[in-house]
Amino acid sequence: MIPQNFEYSAPTSLKEALALIAKGDAKVLAGGMSLIPLMKLRLAAPEHVVDLSRIADLKSVHEDGKGEFPGGALHLGALATHFEIESSALVRSKCPLLAEVASNIGDVQVRNVGTIGGSTAHADPAADYPAGLMALEAKVHLTTAKGERTLPIDQFIVDALSTALKPNELVREIIVPVETRGTGFSYQKLAQPASGFAVVGVAARVRKSAGKVTFVRVGVTGLAGKAFRATRVEKLLEGTSGSAADIQKAAAQAAEGVDANTDLHASADYRRQMTKVFTARALTQALSRAD
Amino acid sequence: MATTITKTETLVGKRIRRKEDPRLITGTATYVDDIQMPGMHHACILRSPHGAARIRSINIKPAINQAGVVAVFIGKDIEAVGPVPCGASLPGLRVPAHSILAKDRVYYVGHPVAVAVATDRYIARDAIDLIEVDYEPLQAVSDPEKALEPGAPAVHPEWPDNTAFTFHQEGGEPEKAFKEAEVVVKQRITSQRLVPTSIETRGVVADYRSAEKNLTLYSSTQIPHLLRTLVAQMLGLAENRMRVITPEVGGGFGSKLNVYAEEALMGFVAMKIGKPVKWIESRRENFLCTIHGRGHVDYYEIAARRDGTVLGLRLKLIQDLGAYHQLLTPAIPTLSVLMMPGLYKFRNVIADIVGVFTNCVPTDAYRGAGRPEATHGIERMMDLLALELKMDPAELRLKNFPGKGEFPYLTATGLSYDSGDYAAPLKKALDMVDYHKLRNAQRDAKAKGRLMGIGISTYGEICAFGPSPATPAGGWESATVKIEPSGKVTVLTGTSPHGQGEETTFAQIAADELGVSMDDIIVLHGDTSIVQYGIGTFGSRSTAVGGPALYYALQDLKAKIKKFGEMLLESDDVTCSGGQCICNKTGKTIEFAQIAAASYRAMKLPPNTEPGLMATHFWEPPNFAFPFGAHIVVSEVDRDTGQVEIQRYVAVDDCVNIINPLLVDGQIHGGVAQGLGQALCEQAVYDENAQLITGELMDYALPKASTMPYIETGHTITPSPVNPLGVKGVGEAGTIGCSPAVVNSVVDALSHLGVRHIDMPLTSEKLWKLVRQGGQA
């Protein structure tokens, strides 16, 4: 399990990092939870690895009142680890869904090292974060030596292991809304028994008002080549009273029209069915937490 | 002078923490990969990517031309090295020539083809990517039943039927039993291939000193002495000039009870390059090239009376051997046949084994080795019979045990079960779960639509291998005890503990016998130049065979101590106790330390007595030991997802006298973890091209700490006449009892849907389908 020879740089500033990747042929290393195993198996053989771990700017987790979302936003530096997000008092109070998703990733060792920027940029179709980020309608802040841009998560993730990231571009931060008071949330996951990745994972956010469900967001990971928002489910549940029957009826649409993955651990059929089951579970818990 | 005889506190039976642990948990233990030597080189092995292929040509030039690469060896270079040994012999056994590097053909993915040796491990790894091998891929076969079909690809062209051996055994009058049976139950039952996955992979360091013609081999092995004998033969070395050292071994589970190509290959390389060389197996190689366990397809039939009395048992056993025989490969299924009646009074049995070659890595001993398969089969069959007869599965089992007074009990397969009270652990386990109440709770749960099940298994284990005539190597074990001139005690055991904790348990035994502190005792093992010949650690044998060897060595030593005591106390009425000799007449005492000093100083010696205090004993057991027990599992299947939750796990074991309950619990827990792995999630899956598709930990699902249930352990003690310590083995018991209890509980949870049997592993998708389809798979 020894990778091929590669050049290694560990810049200490974002500017320096951007200059290094602008030369081309560089692979960016964040937490390394995906890149390092791929390199050890020699399935990836980058000539140059640019390690971002010494760039302090990329680790910041902070709130911005007038940011990207009307109710305020949390800015999560690309190098914030899963553990930092899971345990951050700020994230837990202002965007508890994201903390819950983070706490479901891999195992303790992975959460101590893996990062939100690395996971998002890798776009593994079975990763946990994308379900949460879809449900949160998160934004991805990208930067190059020449400028910055911000993309909604559903435009950033293009397909399995494929994103809108340009070769000379870095994920700088992930931006999520400060959660509106009373929003219920839940992340429910069927874990692959070996890797801990999601066979399916469903993140839900709901709001109720006067006995009606007024707002539903559902993000699904694991089922398809890329995580997606289950908009049919959202529309079916909005306006109902959120009864068990309403939930079942809406959740039944969670896998409609989706080309499902299949592998040793779960057939396409099982994945579809589990998507419905876990959508119902996520919605049920989210509704029970909403007030 | 008044003398108080202070009786030292007895240590046997106490929960004493392991002496091994401080070095293990502080990271100061030495494993093979920790060994550094001046001038040490590193080897990396190029392996076949194909399940079957002809090698047309190999070009090593691009590799050998790299700076830092000192040598590349391929099949034609190792003609002088003997084959990888198979220690098992069966009538008519076909033994393929198993050279340490492939010659003109490869037989499984991972088959070693070439070795590159370089000044560091990175250069060695890069070098194997530069070796050009021209393969002509051939059709491969990975499924043992398909391999038996006419026209299947021949793994070894010389044997187109892929049959390595057939083996028949019968006892009693099986045909008659089946003819007269009121009920016959049949089932195909598989025990899937498993990867042993020790945390430490294999590794070897070889150091050859040409001036002395001495080879030292450091290897992560369970059998240092056997390894020395066999590798010396392979390399044509004088055995007394070869030394095997077993540093810390990070798990074996049978996978290191072997002699591997790489062990001889590193010896060969070291001799060729005149420098020490290290090879450390990668995790990927561990999946592909270290033996796998299990690999059974079994066809069972039980004949019985309507009242539940069992009459006959028929078994057709198809063993997936893989492409070659490793050390014990063909012998493992014969253990299944020996143990196939389980604990029940089957007087009429018939079994046929077909050993099948496949284009897969060889199977061999893995925790339980043949007994988990047998136990899984018979315990599933007993549940199927209970279901057929609408009898309670506990009642059916209790009805068919031999009675307490029937021991030694001679089985229809020719074993003599030394001692037992098989109802005792089952009854204890039933009490621990409050069985009748539990059945009522299950009825209520099922009425509410919950899928709750209760699974029982009882098991017997052939262990303490064993009397020599019944084993491929010797079945004895050895011990030496030395009291050094200062009075400190050194124990040398021929076993090779690697996690079992004999450095602690053997110190407890020696401390009690000599009446000295455990801290004054050190237990050494795993170095053929320090320790007298021994057999090793496997088959739950170290305490059960190595323990009595130690006990008898201690008795010899005590007799000699007494002689010195009599001389020094000038009395013929002396008792040795509490670390001293006491003159019973005068009350005068003398400490062992003083006796030890006097024995080495040898100013004066007792009559017919040599100087020094040392005794060695080689102990040959009269029989195997047969521990037994019962496991009960309560589980619930999630109707929506098919996931299994183990709600209770009760394990009651009878391994007779327990030296250290803490370690016995640890063995049971670890054994159950590996049993749960097989029952619920582990499977080595090869595709039609014989590619291993669960070839890494991302796809091969091991049980995790977070998924383990709480295990409630209990013990019964039924005295055994087999050895003076009254001990039986316990290392494999947890694994053997586990998988059928789990599967029985899940089948019980789904039985009202018409489910009779489910093959392992019980993946959530498999169970979900059964639930959805109303029991039809």
Side-chain angles (χ1 to χ4, degrees), chain B residues 39-121:
Chain B
M40 189 171 78
H41 283 53
H42 296 264
C44 192
I45 295 169
L46 176 66
R47 298 179 181 277
S48 167
H50 300 290
R54 207 167 278 130
I55 298 175
R56 290 203 196 100
S57 64
I58 302 177
N59 179 15
I60 64 167
K61 269 200 198 117
I64 202 91
N65 287 341
Q66 287 299 303
V69 176
V70 302
V72 175
F73 300 105
I74 62 172
K76 71 175 169 53
D77 301 316
I78 50 85
E79 295 286 354
V81 180
V84 178
C86 170
S89 57
L90 290 169
L93 179 68
R94 289 165 169 173
V95 182
H98 188 179
S99 58
I100 61 170
L101 289 174
K103 290 183 176 162
D104 52 357
R105 201 176 160 116
V106 288
Y107 295 85
Y108 63 95
V109 173
H111 197 151
V113 172
V115 57
V117 188
T119 47
D120 74 37
R121 61 173 67 181

Side-chain angles (χ1 to χ4, degrees), chain A residues 42 192 194 267 269-270 281, chain B residues 126 129 638 641 765 772:
Chain A
R42 300 199 170 201
Q192 198 255 56
S267 68
D269 182 27
Y270 183 58
R281 288 182 180 182
Chain B
D126 287 344
D129 281 355
D638 183 322
T641 65
E765 178 165 8
R772 188 175 64 158

Side-chain angles (χ1 to χ4, degrees), chain B residues 67 249 335 671:
Chain B
V249 173
L335 289 174

Side-chain angles (χ1 to χ4, degrees), chain A residues 11-29:
Chain A
T12 51
S13 74
L14 193 56
K15 198 179 156 196
E16 206 185 329
L18 289 166
L20 283 165
I21 64 166
K23 287 194 241 164
D25 282 341
K27 190 78 192 163
V28 172
L29 177 71

